[in-house]
Amino acid sequence: MAGSPRRATSRRLQLPLLCLLFQGATTILFAIFVRYNHETDAALWHWGNHSNANNEFYFRYPSFQDVHAMVFMGFGFLMVFLQRYGFSSVGFTFLLAAFALQWSTLVQGFLHSFYGGHIHVGIERSPEAPLPCPSPIPRSPSMINADFCAGAVLISFGAILGKTGPPQLLLMTLLEVALFGINEFVLLNLLGVRDAGGSMTIHTFGAYFGLSLSRVLYRPQLEKSKHRQSSIYHSDLFAMIGTIFLWIFWPSFNSAPTSLGDTQHRTALNTYYSLTASTLSTFALSALVSGDGRLDMPILESKFKIQDTCGIHNLHGMPGVLGALLGVLVAGLSTHDAYGDGLESVFPLIAKGQRSATSQAIHQLFGLFVTLVLATVGGSLGGLLLKLPFLDAPPDSQCYEDRIYWEVPGEYENEVQGPLSVEEPDTRA
């Protein structure tokens, strides 16, 4: 039996120890390996790298700001629809994203741009540094790409929201960031896949990693906490605020990693008008499928023993796969007549004659297959890791409850759901 004193001691120690261990390790690794890239390094000032209007910072930082707001505010408030899990939704988003940003910088740096014994960081992944810089850098990990990786982690978090403790979530982040970097390296560097908007690397990978994780962590007795899975008026209102944050900044999210100029411009335009069209379609369908024609925000639940709290299969998984398949179609139909000189920025291997359009389409399809395999296998392994009995998972009767991990206002204790249930025996495997 897992008594209250034992569980309280475990909870008091596990999170601090993991946070200090991970932060200490990343601090040491940053000190040893991470350096400024050529546009930022003060030691290269005499090579003409000093800040001016030609510095990529001035073009990329506004996009970074938008993506950063999406990760911390959009994702955080999107998940506060659970009536008694608002602190945890926003707070654990903050915790996981802060760790993922540091860890992903290291992982992406070692995989993409470990040059001269160092990782050179910047606001975006830079091309080769211009001469006369004495140490040209092929590519550098970036603040923007670190945020994209954090976004994938938070997508996975949505599938297990309310059913896992912070130590489990930190271990999930540790594993997923590493696999995200490997998947991205295979697709972009080895296969030469083009992944506009992160359909495969972010949405598909994050969704199916999280769903596989949730399947392994399936709890048949979760009905004990079902009364907390519903939303109330103000929790749905905050979730709607998170939705609107994501909606507003999505053109920046999709266009941030694309080439400056017409490619970025076109991506923002396409996203902008797609968002408006999808909004009208959503309102129409919501009223149409409702019995009385009223608008509704229901939580869709899977029927395959995958307890998908945030419905990430519908929100990210299926759209990610659809986007990847459309990428296959677009690659297969790409021609110089359609893109002109812009073909090199969209499908550079086709433009250079190194691949046919059909070959690029096949590589795109294989990239989707690789993503699904890495996500499902990695998520399943992550689920087995998170099931280790010494990790602090909430009991079935106390899931979706802030009070397990947070101090809450006094008036919160008197809500209609009643007090937190007494400690129950831990029957988990």
Side-chain angles (χ1 to χ4, degrees):
M1 178 175 291
S4 296
R6 178 182 172 185
R7 182 176 291 275
T9 301
S10 172
R11 186 169 298 141
R12 186 165 57 248
L13 292 178
Q14 283 187 13
L15 180 60
L17 288 176
L18 276 179
C19 285
L20 292 174
L21 173 64
F22 290 166
Q23 186 58 65
T26 53
T27 299
I28 293 171
L29 290 171
F30 264 72
I32 296 172
F33 295 110
V34 177
R35 299 292 184 270
Y36 294 120
N37 71 1
H38 70 280
E39 288 188 337
T40 315
D41 194 346
L44 299 179
W45 182 270
H46 56 288
W47 292 103
N49 77 322
H50 41 282
S51 296
N52 54 48
N54 295 322
N55 194 316
E56 289 291 311
F57 176 87
Y58 296 100
F59 297 97
R60 293 299 192 184
Y61 194 75
S63 294
F64 164 75
Q65 283 181 306
D66 293 351
V67 173
H68 211 50
M70 290 178 73
V71 168
F72 285 90
M73 298 186 68
F75 278 103
F77 282 96
L78 180 68
M79 293 188 278
V80 299
F81 60 89
L82 294 172
Q83 56 181 299
R84 297 169 68 93
Y85 209 68
F87 280 12
S88 300
S89 296
V90 177
F92 293 158
T93 293
F94 199 3
L95 172 67
L96 300 186
F99 174 48
L101 295 180
Q102 299 177 73
W103 179 222
S104 63
T105 297
L106 292 167
V107 170
Q108 292 177 357
F110 285 125
L111 288 171
H112 292 282
S113 58
F114 193 62
Y115 182 81
H118 294 109
I119 299 167
H120 299 261
V121 297
I123 195 167
E124 70 158 348
R125 278 189 184 161
S126 60
E128 187 169 84
L131 295 175
C133 177
S135 301
I137 302 158
R139 298 180 79 191
S140 61
S142 74
M143 295 161 61
I144 292 178
N145 284 82
D147 269 9
F148 287 155
C149 181
V153 170
L154 296 177
I155 290 170
S156 302
F157 174 39
I160 55 175
L161 183 70
K163 299 169 291 190
T164 45
Q168 292 175 298
L169 295 172
L170 283 172
L171 289 175
M172 177 199 78
T173 304
L174 182 72
L175 175 63
E176 185 172 3
V177 167
L179 291 176
F180 176 94
I182 293 171
N183 182 63
E184 187 184 50
F185 178 79
V186 171
L187 265 62
L188 304 187
N189 290 52
L190 301 184
L191 297 178
V193 166
R194 307 297 285 178
D195 187 34
S199 293
M200 288 182 277
T201 55
I202 301 172
H203 299 284
T204 301
F205 182 84
Y208 291 103
F209 184 96
L211 291 171
S212 300
L213 192 72
S214 181
R215 177 63 185 89
V216 175
L217 295 175
Y218 175 72
R219 293 182 174 204
Q221 302 299 320
L222 202 58
E223 291 291 319
K224 295 178 180 179
S225 294
K226 190 172 181 62
H227 61 286
R228 297 192 192 95
Q229 293 186 50
S230 61
S231 61
I232 52 179
Y233 184 82
H234 73 263
S235 67
D236 267 345
L237 183 61
F238 279 115
M240 205 168 183
I241 292 172
T243 301
I244 292 175
F245 259 100
L246 292 171
W247 192 95
I248 291 172
F249 293 133
W250 216 273
S252 296
F253 188 94
N254 283 349
S255 63
T258 57
S259 303
L260 289 174
D262 62 335
T263 304
Q264 191 174 44
H265 194 174
R266 186 167 58 249
T267 303
L269 282 170
N270 290 342
T271 307
Y272 177 81
Y273 287 109
S274 297
L275 285 165
T276 57
S278 64
T279 300
L280 267 66
S281 301
T282 301
F283 272 80
L285 287 173
S286 181
L288 185 64
V289 300
S290 174
D292 54 8
R294 291 190 296 177
L295 301 170
D296 189 18
M297 296 188 286
I299 303 172
L300 301 178
E301 296 182 358
S302 175
K303 297 181 180 180
F304 299 97
K305 293 186 177 180
I306 300 175
Q307 293 159 333
D308 182 7
T309 307
C310 285
I312 65 170
H313 180 251
N314 309 296
L315 185 61
H316 297 280
M318 290 192 295
V321 171
L322 177 60
L325 293 176
L326 288 174
V328 173
L329 177 64
V330 170
L333 297 176
S334 61
T335 63
H336 282 279
D337 291 337
Y339 288 99
D341 293 337
L343 182 62
E344 186 170 359
S345 64
V346 181
F347 294 110
L349 296 179
I350 298 178
K352 296 174 183 177
Q354 298 177 13
R355 273 185 194 167
S356 66
T358 301
S359 176
Q360 182 68 41
I362 292 172
H363 280 80
Q364 296 285 139
L365 186 61
F366 186 63
L368 175 60
F369 172 76
V370 169
T371 298
L372 290 172
V373 170
L374 277 175
T376 53
V377 173
S380 299
L381 293 175
L384 295 175
L385 173 66
L386 268 57
K387 286 183 75 172
L388 293 174
F390 64 84
L391 291 175
D392 179 34
D396 291 332
S397 64
Q398 298 178 12
C399 290
Y400 316 111
E401 173 60 63
D402 269 338
R403 277 184 289 173
I404 302 177
Y405 303 107
W406 299 87
E407 291 288 343
V408 296
E411 62 269 19
Y412 184 78
E413 303 290 333
N414 300 318
E415 289 191 355
V416 295
Q417 288 82 6
L420 194 65
S421 62
V422 296
E423 192 73 25
E424 63 177 19
D426 191 348
T427 57
R428 292 173 286 116

